[in-house]
Amino acid sequence: MLRVRDLAVGYPTSGPVLHAVTLTLTLPGPGLHAIIGPNGAGKTTLLHTLAGQLRPASGSIHLDGQDVTGWHPTTAARAGVALAPQGRRLWKSLTVGEHFATVRTTVRDDDRWSVEALLEMFPALAARLGHRADQLSGGEQQMLTIARALHTAPRLLLADEPTEGLAPALAAHIMTVLTDLPARGVTVVVALPHAAGAARAATVHLLTAGRLRESADTADTVTDTLRRHLTLTDAEPTEPAP
């Protein structure tokens, strides 16, 4: 169980971003959990705090009953928490194969997250193992970002806007992969700017201006709330990457 209570997080140069966010998620859950909100809502800040990349000013985070508030990113990774960040954050000079070699699995002899298994999950990467990250398309870079995170054999995957700027078919493939992960024992928390991307989410949580406004157990029940609180629509981005 992941429990977040009254979480407040900010930055020295810009002040508070998250305000008293409280959230409870079951690990592993019946499906992925979607955090929906516009740019600047605090989605990235929330995911980075859960991954140990940011320290909260107040509040608490408990994982399976253990207080992990403010834990180090390495400690989070060893506990099975993996972050697939927005913007991909790949090393331009490293090949696809070398990116896999930079991470260490938290579970030995787990073939579910071997390089071979991940290439089956993302076939487009199989022919690109020797290519550098800066030679990949935007879609291939996003696949590598998720595959690299999964190579650590996580039990909790934090995916920050994984379909951003992607063609609809590729975005749908990535969401299918994420939706299927709970069946493999991985809980997924995905940050999305659009309600449509959360159509297959088990739970949906609306985050605006750093506050958790509403939670629902289906994406449909939050669509009207999105339109009341935000100027967002269900439309996906109109400028896809190949």
Side-chain angles (χ1 to χ4, degrees), residues 139-153:
E140 290 166 342
Q141 290 178 355
Q142 186 60 66
M143 286 186 249
L144 177 56
T145 299
I146 297 172
R148 179 182 59 178
L150 290 175
H151 193 43
T152 66

Side-chain angles (χ1 to χ4, degrees), residues 51-62:
Q53 303 286 342
L54 294 172
R55 295 182 62 87
S58 61
S60 63
I61 304 171
H62 285 79

Side-chain angles (χ1 to χ4, degrees), residues 96-107:
V96 170
E98 288 169 340
H99 273 87
F100 286 124
T102 63
V103 297
R104 182 178 300 175
T105 181
T106 58
V107 180

Side-chain angles (χ1 to χ4, degrees), residues 127-145:
R128 308 285 274 167
L129 275 176
H131 289 75
R132 299 191 312 270
D134 61 1
Q135 296 174 316
L136 304 180
S137 68
E140 290 166 342
Q141 290 178 355
Q142 186 60 66
M143 286 186 249
L144 177 56
T145 299

